[in-house]
Amino acid sequence: MTEPLFREDAYLQETYGTVRGHTPEGGVILDRTIFYATGGGQPGDSGWLDWSGGSLPIATAIKGEGDAIVLVPAEPAALPPLGAEITQRLDWMRRHRHMRVHTALHLLSVVIPLPVTGGSIGSEKGRLDFKMDAPPADKQGLEDALNALIERDLVISDDWITDEELLANPAIVKTMSVMPPTGQGRVRLVRIGLAADQVDLQPCGGTHVARTSEIGRIRFGKVEKKGRDNRRVTIHLD
């Protein structure tokens, strides 16, 4: 098992860890990590591992067996030995841009309140696919509404509910293609805004900024037809 430190503190950029395993493909498994593993449309983090006698650039992180997170080297190289104490460092600028885009996509699902059929997050842009039979009539109006939400400087927080509570309240799940992971007893919710200012609440395991103003201004890109009743909406960090 790898303790996912990013889940408790998405702003932790450097910390220590201990090597618990290697994969046959040359990956490294630590006892605890700040590297987010690819999932939910969000790419795995990149960065570096340093230890006494060596250093290793990490290209991405993926989910391994059980609860393990596997750090994938950027190139074949000597791995840190089992039991080694290492320093792990994120490519913070890349991760932070993922956080900004991811949070903006949550807000996009607020200004376009339609079922989500897919999505993807990058360091420059992101997109959501919506069950939408015609393109939006006022794309500029949607962009203005999204940026207005961002400028409200809403607080982003999280909470946990049980699997049973999620099943009893299916309306909070916006994605049609990917259901939140269940079976571990609880599901993480990401909340945007507090009390009367709450604008969004949905299950999510990704990393997000602390306040919406941190996203910065967003620019709408293409709206593409992806099937008879499906439209892909792309947004860019401006």
Side-chain angles (χ1 to χ4, degrees):
M1 175 179 177
T2 306
E3 182 184 356
L5 300 177
F6 55 82
R7 194 157 291 157
E8 298 300 326
D9 183 1
Y11 288 83
L12 188 58
Q13 303 173 39
E14 180 176 320
T15 193
Y16 299 99
T18 302
V19 178
R20 291 296 188 225
H22 300 145
T23 68
E25 298 78 18
V28 180
I29 300 172
L30 304 178
D31 62 336
R32 57 205 295 266
T33 191
I34 53 178
F35 286 77
Y36 178 81
T38 302
Q42 181 172 331
D45 286 326
S46 55
W48 301 267
L49 300 182
D50 299 304
W51 66 96
S52 178
S55 182
L56 186 67
I58 297 300
T60 189
I62 60 175
K63 295 174 182 177
E65 294 185 5
D67 293 325
I69 293 176
V70 180
L71 309 185
V72 181
E75 55 192 31
L79 302 181
L82 293 176
E85 296 295 320
I86 60 94
T87 299
Q88 46 187 314
R89 296 180 289 123
L90 287 181
D91 180 341
W92 172 246
M93 290 189 65
R94 179 173 178 266
R95 152 70 89 75
H96 189 243
R97 293 176 80 88
H98 290 163
M99 291 163 60
R100 292 166 61 196
V101 171
H102 198 156
T103 310
L105 290 176
H106 279 228
L107 292 177
L108 180 63
S109 74
V110 175
V111 300
I112 304 179
L114 296 172
V116 175
T117 59
S120 179
I121 297 158
S123 59
E124 303 291 337
K125 63 183 180 179
R127 54 93 173 165
L128 288 180
D129 297 346
F130 293 94
K131 186 174 175 57
M132 183 190 302
D133 58 8
D138 184 6
K139 190 170 81 167
Q140 185 60 53
L142 292 174
E143 181 178 307
D144 293 343
L146 176 58
N147 282 301
L149 283 175
I150 291 169
E151 291 167 5
R152 284 173 62 181
D153 194 28
L154 299 166
V155 173
I156 290 93
S157 59
D158 58 24
D159 201 355
W160 294 85
I161 60 173
T162 64
D163 291 352
E164 291 74 19
E165 288 172 319
L166 177 66
L167 293 173
N169 189 15
I172 63 175
V173 181
K174 296 186 177 184
T175 54
M176 298 173 63
S177 57
V178 180
M179 287 296 293
T182 58
Q184 297 185 359
R186 64 176 192 161
V187 176
R188 177 177 178 248
L189 299 179
V190 172
R191 185 188 315 273
I192 302 181
L194 298 175
D197 285 333
Q198 180 177 307
V199 298
D200 190 49
L201 178 69
Q202 58 179 292
C204 185
T207 57
H208 300 270
V209 294
R211 306 187 72 97
T212 58
S213 60
E214 198 174 331
I215 297 169
R217 188 161 185 84
I218 290 294
R219 172 174 52 86
F220 267 50
K222 294 179 179 179
V223 177
E224 302 172 273
K225 184 176 182 179
K226 294 292 181 179
R228 182 172 59 86
D229 59 352
N230 199 65
R231 294 295 187 281
R232 175 168 295 173
V233 180
T234 300
I235 59 173
H236 301 255
L237 296 179
D238 196 0

